[in-house]
Amino acid sequence: MSVTCPTLGWPRPEEAIERHFATVRLSDEFVNKLRAQLADTMSAELGDMTKLRCSLGNRLTELGKYEDGFLDLLDDPEWPQAKIKKKLAEVKRERMEIATQLEDSARKLDSGSRSFEAAISLLADPQAIYRRGSDAVKDVMAEVIFGKLNVDAVEGSGAEVVDHELNEGVVEPRP
């Protein structure tokens, strides 16, 4: 939606489009639909996360048994002590990797959920997003909000939005 036509002497429409964004908002129904989709996605991810945590927990149990066996062998001088200590170090390293995976997976899921909620909250003020956004963000915002946006040059005052069609889920604020 970032348009400039300096060779034709046309005004830049961005300011008019920015002003026009104040006339629209996401409908409550659309926001609730987005939140429901987030809840469904989070539920599926939690199911996957539960399976992962169970699998990693089983592996930790298995590693605990290996570790106990190796520790028992350390008491027997006939077994190669250096080799046993090396195996114990490997078990310890794998346990640490699993602990890190468990922490990372929970953190990523939580972070993703918070980011999505923040994005939904930001969409409550489309004009502010448009104002602060890069040209790429402005283009995306205009495409998400408007199916059609007509901007005309107005003599002496630059550009003005004269007509629009809103995409599904976008409404004009209630009076």
Side-chain angles (χ1 to χ4, degrees):
M1 204 56 71
S2 301
V3 180
T4 56
C5 300
T7 57
L8 298 176
W10 290 2
R12 294 174 51 93
E14 283 86 357
E15 289 178 14
I17 295 169
E18 180 184 320
R19 285 190 306 274
H20 197 67
F21 265 95
T23 69
V24 297
R25 69 173 181 80
L26 296 180
S27 69
D28 293 339
E29 179 183 341
F30 185 72
V31 170
N32 290 336
K33 187 191 230 181
L34 286 175
R35 284 199 168 100
Q37 288 175 345
L38 173 63
D40 290 346
T41 301
M42 294 302 294
S43 178
E45 289 295 321
L46 282 173
D48 292 344
M49 181 76 64
T50 300
K51 289 177 189 173
L52 173 67
R53 290 173 87 68
C54 184
S55 173
L56 292 173
N58 289 341
R59 181 64 182 150
L60 283 173
T61 300
E62 193 176 294
L63 288 172
K65 290 177 185 176
Y66 287 147
E67 187 175 45
D68 288 345
F70 290 132
L71 289 172
D72 289 341
L73 291 175
L74 274 177
D75 291 337
D76 188 343
E78 292 182 21
W79 284 89
Q81 302 296 305
K83 194 172 192 178
I84 294 171
K85 288 179 181 179
K86 180 179 176 188
K87 290 290 186 184
L88 280 169
E90 289 173 10
V91 167
K92 183 178 180 179
R93 181 191 46 77
E94 188 173 348
R95 287 182 104 157
M96 289 173 43
E97 287 174 6
I98 289 172
T100 300
Q101 283 180 325
L102 288 170
E103 284 179 29
D104 286 349
S105 58
R107 186 173 41 250
K108 285 177 184 175
L109 189 61
D110 183 54
S111 175
S113 175
R114 282 185 283 129
S115 295
F116 195 83
E117 269 300 322
I120 291 172
S121 296
L122 283 173
L123 289 174
D125 188 359
Q127 184 184 35
I129 296 172
Y130 188 86
R131 179 182 304 122
R132 294 185 201 119
S134 65
D135 286 347
V137 168
K138 290 177 180 182
D139 289 345
V140 169
M141 283 295 297
E143 289 175 20
V144 166
I145 302 288
F146 300 105
K148 182 171 91 175
L149 188 62
N150 295 329
V151 181
D152 279 346
V154 177
E155 193 172 325
S157 65
E160 180 180 315
V161 175
V162 293
D163 189 28
H164 71 253
E165 289 178 11
L166 299 173
N167 284 325
E168 183 181 343
V170 182
V171 296
E172 296 185 40
R174 294 180 200 113

